[in-house]
Amino acid sequence: MSTVLLTPSLAGLVTGVPLSARLPDTAVSMLAGGLPVAAVSSAPAGDVAAELRESLGAVVAAVAEAGRMRERPLWAIATDSIANRLLALGRALGDVPRATALAAPLAAAVGAPLPVPRYVDVGGARFTRRASCCLLYRVPHEPMCTSCPRRPPAERHVLLEDAAGRF
């Protein structure tokens, strides 16, 4: 959900067309079964960082309460979503360094408890150096993600080198 929710405001940031990150200005499209697939913003942005802080704070609090979990891991997921979305937008626009350079200043402006997004360059490609684990590997028959922070660093590096050929 966080990647979909963040896309309009981050795309606006990268393209120079600031779009609101406020929840009331954002419409999310869902597939049958409730899977979010796209979002649009209906208003220009004011202060994108302040709007993200407010929206992420509300979503993190709601998800933490519904899932009976701590908020801190959800903030880590949010930072990885920001990093991944900026990386994807950079790849789409052909300027990964410019798009990903926005991550740290944006996170600093949003403020704690949002961790600063991180990247690692491997085999000529940039990847998000994740702060969160999605725990998908705990689902039967699901593998651990290539970039999972729970993998040993050397193993993760080899897997990212292999993936670098696709970018």
Side-chain angles (χ1 to χ4, degrees), residues 66-110:
R68 288 175 271 171
M69 61 187 298
R70 296 178 311 113
E71 290 187 9
R72 185 72 66 172
L74 297 173
W75 282 99
I77 290 170
T79 206
D80 289 346
S81 293
I82 289 170
N84 285 331
R85 187 57 25 210
L86 288 171
L87 180 58
L89 289 162
R91 286 178 179 152
L93 295 172
D95 197 349
V96 168
R98 185 178 69 77
T100 57
L102 298 170
L106 178 62
V110 168

Side-chain angles (χ1 to χ4, degrees), residues 122-147:
V122 178
R126 182 160 292 171
F127 298 93
T128 298
R129 184 169 174 214
R130 292 182 24 212
S132 68
C133 175
C134 64
L135 302 175
L136 189 60
Y137 73 93
R138 292 177 138 184
V139 174
H141 310 293
E142 289 294 330
M144 188 176 281
C145 300
T146 299
S147 61

Side-chain angles (χ1 to χ4, degrees), residues 18-112:
L19 296 172
S20 175
R22 294 179 60 242
L23 294 176
D25 298 333
T26 306
V28 177
S29 297
M30 312 283 254
L31 290 176
L35 180 67
V37 293
V40 294
S41 177
S42 63
D47 178 345
V48 174
E51 292 171 358
L52 281 172
R53 181 175 40 256
E54 180 182 330
S55 294
L56 287 171
V59 170
V60 164
V63 171
E65 182 179 335
R68 288 175 271 171
M69 61 187 298
R70 296 178 311 113
E71 290 187 9
R72 185 72 66 172
L74 297 173
W75 282 99
I77 290 170
T79 206
D80 289 346
S81 293
I82 289 170
N84 285 331
R85 187 57 25 210
L86 288 171
L87 180 58
L89 289 162
R91 286 178 179 152
L93 295 172
D95 197 349
V96 168
R98 185 178 69 77
T100 57
L102 298 170
L106 178 62
V110 168

